Amino acid sequence: MSADWYLINSPHYTEGTEKNDFRFNADLGIDDFLADTPLSSKIFLCKGKFNNDDKSFEFEYETEGILQGVSPETQTKGWQRQLLTRLKTISDYKYVKIYDEDYKRWNIWLIMTMPSNNKVYEKVVLYLCNYIAKWQDGDGNIIYQPFHVENASQYNTGEEGDKILTLGYNQLLVYTSLDDNTVYLNRTKRMFIDYNDINPLPYRITRIDTVSESYGENRVICLVFTEDVYDPDTDSIENWLCDYFKPKASQSIKITYAGDPTIRVGGSAKTFIANTAETVTWELVTTDIQDKYITMTTTDNKCKIKCSNNELLIGSSIKLKCADVNGNIGELLIDIVGGV
């Protein structure tokens, strides 16, 4: 047995300050729950572009959390949970991804509320994402976005019109992340929202609310979709896109580097090079927690990225982007690692 065993989880009552004692015991208590009990689950805090092929997000951070409300008493609570985790963990993440061992599938949950805490743990309300929407942006790029969809016309007849022409009528209430992909959606945007892959129903956005669920921190956008009429000339069931058009061809800029696409906490700056003859502009996508510790300097088609010493960043990722005047872009996901 180690001679130092008695030092593990030892009291911290030597400083004589109640705040430090409370902070120590609070951190110790939540760590015990998250690391040493069956109540805890491995979770991924997520944000950024969603890849529908492997159900991954542009940025994912692995940690532990406790799901509450897993045995709902009413049907309407079946898609709602609460998540408890460590303080200052959720930050500006938008989704929580959890693997369901019983059904062997990934469940994606939308973070509906601004993170709050009671000085011991952080808590948010989650809504289950029950649909992956697909649409094109103005440049023709394909966007996939997890949606939480509810029925917004439960008691109407499902039809409108007169004896000459009767149209289907249905409305859906949608909650999803308020981000670069959704903040510019407008009332002309149409999407298929249906699991019928033969005769799917197209819907058009008829209400947009970027404020009431955002908490002033770009959290959630609320949308109302109204059933629309299928247009065989523009809607492509094969591509699962309404108002489908072929995007202009563009070239990808390769970003080169030495070794692996990683940077080390507390390490020296690493150089990344845009492999193109055109001059590029650089952009670094980070989270709020990373902003204070990640620095980038640029010189023409080269940039240097450095990460200050903070072990909490180990395991997270940043995204490096470059673009030229011709619309060609390059992207690289960079992992933050430890070690010397």
Side-chain angles (χ1 to χ4, degrees), residues 101-116:
E101 293 289 351
D102 295 329
Y103 294 96
K104 307 301 180 184
R105 68 187 181 193
W106 286 102
N107 288 329
I108 299 172
W109 300 82
L110 175 67
I111 300 175
M112 282 294 298
T113 57
M114 183 174 67
S116 59

Side-chain angles (χ1 to χ4, degrees), residues 321-332:
K321 297 182 178 181
C322 67
D324 63 20
V325 294
N326 298 317
N328 302 316
I329 61 174
E331 293 187 354
L332 179 67

Side-chain angles (χ1 to χ4, degrees), residues 117-162:
N117 69 80
N118 61 355
K119 308 299 184 182
V120 177
Y121 54 77
E122 198 162 59
K123 184 174 184 178
V124 290
V125 174
L126 308 177
Y127 278 10
L128 179 66
C129 293
N130 51 6
Y131 190 77
I132 305 298
K134 180 181 180 182
W135 71 89
Q136 288 178 289
D137 64 14
D139 296 323
N141 300 311
I142 304 298
I143 296 173
Y144 292 93
Q145 188 93 357
F147 277 7
H148 171 78
V149 182
E150 299 180 26
N151 193 310
S153 54
Q154 184 174 1
Y155 299 110
N156 70 27
T157 63
E159 295 179 342
E160 68 173 353
D162 51 31

Side-chain angles (χ1 to χ4, degrees), residues 20-198:
N20 287 344
D21 295 341
F22 179 87
R23 179 74 275 135
F24 175 81
N25 288 320
D27 290 343
L28 184 62
I30 191 64
D31 280 341
D32 283 344
F33 270 108
L34 292 176
D36 300 327
T37 75
L39 297 174
S40 176
S41 301
K42 182 173 72 173
I43 65 173
F44 291 87
L45 299 173
C46 309
K47 62 176 290 187
K49 188 177 180 180
F50 180 71
N51 186 331
N52 192 50
D53 292 333
D54 60 5
K55 309 304 179 187
S56 67
F57 288 85
E58 189 173 5
F59 298 99
E60 295 188 353
Y61 175 66
E62 182 179 341
T63 185
E64 299 89 19
I66 298 174
L67 280 180
Q68 295 183 317
V70 296
S71 300
E73 296 180 354
T74 63
Q75 179 271 335
T76 56
K77 295 294 184 179
W79 38 259
Q80 181 176 325
R81 299 288 188 273
Q82 296 83 44
L83 174 69
L84 308 184
T85 189
R86 295 180 180 90
L87 294 174
K88 299 180 180 179
T89 299
I90 295 175
S91 182
D92 58 345
Y93 288 100
K94 302 300 188 71
Y95 296 93
V96 177
K97 191 171 70 171
I98 306 173
Y99 188 72
D100 190 325
E101 293 289 351
D102 295 329
Y103 294 96
K104 307 301 180 184
R105 68 187 181 193
W106 286 102
N107 288 329
I108 299 172
W109 300 82
L110 175 67
I111 300 175
M112 282 294 298
T113 57
M114 183 174 67
S116 59
N117 69 80
N118 61 355
K119 308 299 184 182
V120 177
Y121 54 77
E122 198 162 59
K123 184 174 184 178
V124 290
V125 174
L126 308 177
Y127 278 10
L128 179 66
C129 293
N130 51 6
Y131 190 77
I132 305 298
K134 180 181 180 182
W135 71 89
Q136 288 178 289
D137 64 14
D139 296 323
N141 300 311
I142 304 298
I143 296 173
Y144 292 93
Q145 188 93 357
F147 277 7
H148 171 78
V149 182
E150 299 180 26
N151 193 310
S153 54
Q154 184 174 1
Y155 299 110
N156 70 27
T157 63
E159 295 179 342
E160 68 173 353
D162 51 31
K163 294 181 180 180
I164 299 176
L165 179 63
T166 300
L167 301 175
Y169 181 78
N170 190 34
Q171 286 189 312
L172 300 174
L173 176 63
V174 168
Y175 295 106
T176 190
S177 165
L178 179 58
D179 52 37
D180 292 340
N181 291 333
T182 60
V183 68
Y184 300 114
L185 289 174
N186 55 56
R187 294 174 185 265
T188 65
K189 179 58 66 179
R190 299 166 66 248
M191 305 178 196
F192 289 120
I193 305 180
D194 203 339
Y195 285 124
N196 182 341
D197 58 3
I198 298 177

Side-chain angles (χ1 to χ4, degrees), residues 259-331:
D260 297 322
T262 61
I263 56 174
R264 297 187 181 277
V265 293
S268 57
K270 187 165 186 175
T271 301
F272 297 87
I273 303 172
N275 190 14
T276 176
E278 301 290 338
T279 301
V280 302
T281 56
W282 293 96
E283 178 187 0
L284 197 60
V285 182
T286 60
T287 66
D288 289 345
I289 295 177
Q290 296 169 337
D291 282 342
K292 301 177 183 178
Y293 303 96
I294 306 294
T295 57
M296 179 176 68
T297 57
T298 63
T299 305
D300 297 328
N301 284 20
K302 295 183 180 180
C303 73
K304 293 185 177 182
I305 303 175
K306 185 176 181 180
C307 179
S308 301
N309 193 8
N310 183 353
E311 292 185 354
L312 294 177
L313 300 183
I314 296 175
S316 63
S317 302
I318 60 177
K319 171 153 279 194
L320 178 63
K321 297 182 178 181
C322 67
D324 63 20
V325 294
N326 298 317
N328 302 316
I329 61 174
E331 293 187 354

